[in-house]
Amino acid sequence: MTPKPEHGRGLDLTGKVALVTGGGTGVGLIIAKSFVEHGARVYITGRREEVLKKVAADVNGSKSSPDEGGEIVPLQMDVTSKESIRNAVHFVNRMDGKLDVLVNNAGIANGTTTSTFFPFISDKSAPEHTNLGNSLFERSTFESWEEVLRTNTVAPFFVTMGFLELLEKGAKSLGHPDQSGDGRETSSVINISSAGASFKLSMNSFAYPTSKAGINHLSQSMAIEFAVNKIPVRVNCIEPGIFPSELMGTRDELEKITKETLPGGFRPAPAQRPGRDEELGMAAVFLASSAGGFTNGTVMRVDGGLALVNP
């Protein structure tokens, strides 16, 4: 049998255990499928257990043989509940005894009770735009801001800290000596931000880009603290642009949207199309694999240039 080329081995996730929050749909599902294709056993989490089970059945059932690639394992978890996170940690520990890759992907754009997205911010013809400050003050709520920040910025902190011991066990299983700092491999945390984190424009929502800018900062803070404390876990962040998801829309819808300037923006992304699954999935595979073992504390944009032309 011909051995795999060096670059193939570097991206191989065979034997690795990964967990993707919000892995049943959209960006999380793109990443989970990419991990499976490269051999990983992947827990996908979310609140809707029926969605997770259907995805697992579809992905696992699509393999030509049971030995082809990795597998999806559905695991119900609410990222905003410490008890739910704790239960998920116990389950993964009981089943696998380690975690090699954690992807903090779960996120929301609006509060469930009131919106944090207001088209009248950029629509100068809207009556609410006439007195913008008063309109935003009256229509915004502390509760909606708290919900967006709680899910997008705070939850990744709790999920990462909850799984940190298992991530350390993952690094040790790959040959990282205990606390010596000179091992060959580490475990990997990948936080999913948004191109909006780099916008200074509000794009009709102050809460959402603020929450994503927060996860960028949190990612780098965790990377630094883990490094100086010799915790063998790398932390990186991906800023996706427009990809099909429940949040953004279908690929057909996005094909039209991406050719136009987004509301509140300056220009469409130079690519003028939505991202392809492999463009995002392989970025995550790189950061999760030994090929990305020298990459730590980075924020990687995968947005077709959207943030370049919408500062």
Side-chain angles (χ1 to χ4, degrees), residues 108-110 115-119 121-122 136 145 148 196 199-211 263-264:
I108 59 173
N110 273 311
S115 179
T116 60
F117 180 79
F118 301 107
I121 294 175
S122 63
L136 286 170
W145 269 77
V148 171
F199 300 159
K200 301 304 181 288
L201 297 162
S202 75
M203 294 294 206
N204 292 331
S205 175
F206 283 94
Y208 181 75
T210 298
S211 73

Side-chain angles (χ1 to χ4, degrees), residues 234-255:
R234 295 177 292 114
V235 184
N236 293 285
C237 191
I238 297 177
E239 286 189 1
I242 298 175
F243 286 84
S245 67
E246 287 186 332
L247 186 63
M248 296 299 301
T250 66
R251 183 165 295 278
D252 287 343
E253 292 169 337
L254 297 181
E255 287 286 354

